[in-house]
């Protein structure tokens, strides 16, 4: 690590490839992730996913080299990431950009990506309309609507909840997630009786007053979006401390609140939670079992990938494909042509980048937290095949402008 122009710079970490190939190109990829602070656990997941893909498949670069130029976005606010992207484009002259855990960081960087004509592969940030902000953005992670809408439908149709409250971290993906839940739940005939903003993404708030308000309202279901991590652990703890299950309320949400890396620490009060998501390390497919075994071999038997790790892995697969197909000569338009319609057999299942929206198409699964063999586990209750982003499919709000 060194300091450069007042910015924390983590030096290029990976140069992989066969340097003796005659016309080998050095492709420079700017990686913008939180490497320090409370969200560093997310940066580490994605970074590990990217590195794992390169260590297993770096020989697929067509003889070229990939250089990862890493910058620490630190916080969700947008400003630090934007400065980093500016520097990566103008001074480091990167060919591609990737990373981006928090939606505001991707949103603030979008105009720079358009002006600089540098393609951006988003590995997390989930607000549905982000790809509409630039023709040079493609997303390999998820959209808040892909989980929110099916969760709303399942809550009404299968969990038999007729009323629900929602609580959300008060920034774009939180607002997006509860809008998606409402769309699915009310579309199926339920009624959302309250939607409660519960602090910001940077600090974990005391959830007690918000959860008490829900307990007093006594809805059948309580849908919660928080940006995973320590927020998710606190959600489950508060729900348990207030004995909301005892009051007949069901805790549901997108899989961010049952993140694999946090699940074991949540304790038995997580048992019975139902979430909808596109990944769990517990999936029993051969592709996922191979991936999880490789992860544990690389990073330790007590580690696990989660939905952020798999996005780092898949995003790097997309970048490697671009480098190989373009023979190392990266241009923004040619990159987007390859990413549009890109298909991959991910550990999460088959994925594709929708050529129309440049957003991910993937299966969604209803997850239940169960206890088995002394550990908490994700059991898949049902699945929906190849879900396109419902916000863009229905041309809703800011999703309509594509
Ligand atoms: C986001 O900021 O878009 C975000 C962050 C963490 C999540 C989901 C979405 O778990």
């Amino acid at each position: 690590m060194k300091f450069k122009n007042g910015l924390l710079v983590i030096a290029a970490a990976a140069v992989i490839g066969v340097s003796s190939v005659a016309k080998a190109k050095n492709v420079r990829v700017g990686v913008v992730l939180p490497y320090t602070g409370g969200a560093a656990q997310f940066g580490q997941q994605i970074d590990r996913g990217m590195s794992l893909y390169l260590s297993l498949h770096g020989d697929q670069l067509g003889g070229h080299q990939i250089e990862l130029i890493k910058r620490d976005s630190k916080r969700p606010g947008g400003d630090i990431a934007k400065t980093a992207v500016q520097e990566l484009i103008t001074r480091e002259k990167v060919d591609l950009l990737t990373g981006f855990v928090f939606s505001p960081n991707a949103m603030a960087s979008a105009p720079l990506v358009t002006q600089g004509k540098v393609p951006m592969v988003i590995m997390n940030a989930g607000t549905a309309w982000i790809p509409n902000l630039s023709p040079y953005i493609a997303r390999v992670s998820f959209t808040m609507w892909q989980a929110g809408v099916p969760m709303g439908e399942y809550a009404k149709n299968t969990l038999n909840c007729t009323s629900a409250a929602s609580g959300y971290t008060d920034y774009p993906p939180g607002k997006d997630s509860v809008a998606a839940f409402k769309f699915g739940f009310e579309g199926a005939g339920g009624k959302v009786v309250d939607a409660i903003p519960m602090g910001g993404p940077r600090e974990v708030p005391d959830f007690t007053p918000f959860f008490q308000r829900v307990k007093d309202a006594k809805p059948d279901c309580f849908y919660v979006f928080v940006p995973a991590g320590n927020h998710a652990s606190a959600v489950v703890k508060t729900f348990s401390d207030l004995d909301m299950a005892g009051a007949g309320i069901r805790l549901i949400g997108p899989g961010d609140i049952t993140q694999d890396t946090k699940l074991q620490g949540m304790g038995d009060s997580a048992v019975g939670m139902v979430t909808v998501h596109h990944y769990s390390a517990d999936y029993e497919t051969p592709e996922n079992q191979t991936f999880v075994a490789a992860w544990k071999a690389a990073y330790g038997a007590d580690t696990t990938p989660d939905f952020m790790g798999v996005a780092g892995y898949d995003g790097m697969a997309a970048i490697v494909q671009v480098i190989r197909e373009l023979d190392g000569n990266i241009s923004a338009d040619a990159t987007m042509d390859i990413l549009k319609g890109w298909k991959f057999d991910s550990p999460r299942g088959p994925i594709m980048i929708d050529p129309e929206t440049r957003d991910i198409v993937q299966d969604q699964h209803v997850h239940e937290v169960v206890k088995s063999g002394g550990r908490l586990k994700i059991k898949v209750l049902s699945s929906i095949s190849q879900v396109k982003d419902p916000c863009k499919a229905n041309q809703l709000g800011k999703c309509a402008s594509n």
Side-chain angles (χ1 to χ4, degrees):
M1 261 187 238
K2 57 185 176 155
F3 283 90
K4 202 171 175 186
N5 277 1
L7 275 176
L8 176 63
V9 174
I10 299 168
V15 179
I16 293 180
V18 187
S19 52
S20 59
V21 170
K23 283 188 233 145
K25 300 259 170 21
N26 189 41
V27 177
R28 293 164 68 73
V29 177
V31 181
V32 180
L33 287 172
Y35 284 107
T36 57
Q41 54 191 306
F42 305 150
Q44 184 191 57
Q45 264 290 318
I46 294 182
D47 199 281
R48 285 181 164 181
M50 291 191 300
S51 299
L52 186 61
Y53 188 84
L54 284 176
S55 69
L56 297 175
H57 305 289
D59 58 346
Q60 293 174 9
L61 282 160
H64 302 293
Q65 296 174 352
I66 182 166
E67 186 178 355
L68 303 182
I69 301 154
K70 301 183 182 182
R71 295 293 183 268
D72 183 2
S73 59
K74 296 188 181 142
R75 297 191 290 269
D79 51 337
I80 298 173
K82 185 176 177 183
T83 305
V85 165
Q86 178 95 49
E87 188 249 347
L88 284 166
I89 293 176
T90 56
R91 217 150 57 95
E92 297 292 347
K93 308 219 178 314
V94 293
D95 299 294
L96 291 135
L97 284 157
T98 196
F100 301 97
V101 165
F102 293 107
S103 288
N105 291 348
M107 290 166 179
S109 305
L112 302 179
V113 162
T114 307
Q115 285 154 24
K117 285 195 93 174
V118 178
M120 178 199 257
V121 176
I122 292 181
M123 290 177 166
N124 190 71
T127 306
W129 40 270
I130 291 176
N132 294 31
L133 297 175
S134 169
Y136 299 120
I137 293 179
R139 177 158 50 195
V140 295
S141 49
F142 54 90
T143 89
M144 302 320 306
W145 286 68
Q146 283 179 322
V149 175
M151 186 70 259
E153 291 168 352
Y154 192 88
K156 174 67 181 65
N157 297 336
T158 309
L159 299 178
N160 297 319
C161 294
T162 54
S163 63
S166 59
Y168 60 98
T169 301
D170 193 9
Y171 78 126
K175 293 176 190 161
D176 213 30
S177 181
V178 295
F181 173 73
K182 186 179 166 81
F183 184 86
F185 189 64
E186 298 200 337
K191 179 78 195 140
V192 177
V193 295
D194 203 358
I196 307 172
M198 306 189 300
R202 196 169 159 188
E203 307 287 344
V204 178
D206 177 1
F207 285 111
T208 311
F210 311 120
F211 281 39
Q212 186 62 50
R213 178 165 140 190
V214 173
K215 191 177 178 189
D216 294 343
K218 282 197 182 45
D220 301 320
C221 272
F222 181 28
Y223 177 90
V224 174
F225 167 81
V226 292
N230 301 339
H231 279 72
S233 305
V235 162
V236 178
K237 182 169 185 325
T238 310
F239 190 82
S240 163
D241 288 351
L242 293 182
D243 190 23
M244 293 176 73
I249 300 167
R250 258 198 115 125
L251 180 58
I252 60 173
D256 309 67
I257 63 169
T258 48
Q259 192 181 17
D260 293 284
T261 30
K262 292 290 166 191
L263 192 59
Q264 302 311 318
M266 287 176 175
D268 288 356
S269 39
V271 172
M273 277 172 76
V274 171
T275 58
V276 172
H277 225 206
H278 57 278
Y279 183 70
S280 161
D282 290 326
Y283 290 169
E284 286 170 0
T285 58
E287 291 82 2
N288 187 49
Q289 286 175 334
T290 304
F291 171 67
V292 174
W295 186 283
K296 287 181 184 293
Y299 304 121
D302 58 344
T303 65
T304 177
D306 62 27
F307 65 92
M308 297 191 185
V310 86
Y313 185 87
D314 294 347
M316 191 46 75
I319 291 169
V320 166
Q321 167 101 13
V322 166
I323 295 172
R324 189 173 65 245
E325 275 198 42
L326 294 182
D327 202 15
N329 299 303
I330 308 300
S331 79
D333 291 313
T335 297
M336 298 318 293
D337 284 347
I338 292 169
L339 292 177
K340 289 177 191 172
W342 176 74
K343 288 190 175 145
F344 185 58
D345 281 325
S346 161
R348 63 183 118 160
I351 59 172
M352 184 182 91
I353 304 284
D354 184 346
E356 304 285 314
T357 63
R358 290 165 278 106
D359 222 331
I360 186 89
V361 182
Q362 59 189 338
D363 296 351
Q364 292 292 319
H365 308 279
V366 180
H367 291 173
E368 183 184 10
V369 180
V370 296
K371 190 147 190 196
S372 152
R375 64 183 286 275
L376 297 179
K377 221 176 151 288
I378 294 294
K379 180 179 169 195
V380 174
L381 299 179
S382 62
S383 303
I384 314 168
S385 179
Q386 296 300 284
V387 178
K388 287 190 180 196
D389 173 47
C391 186
K392 286 191 272 310
N394 289 287
Q395 292 283 294
L396 301 169
K398 290 184 188 167
C399 291
S401 58
N402 206 29

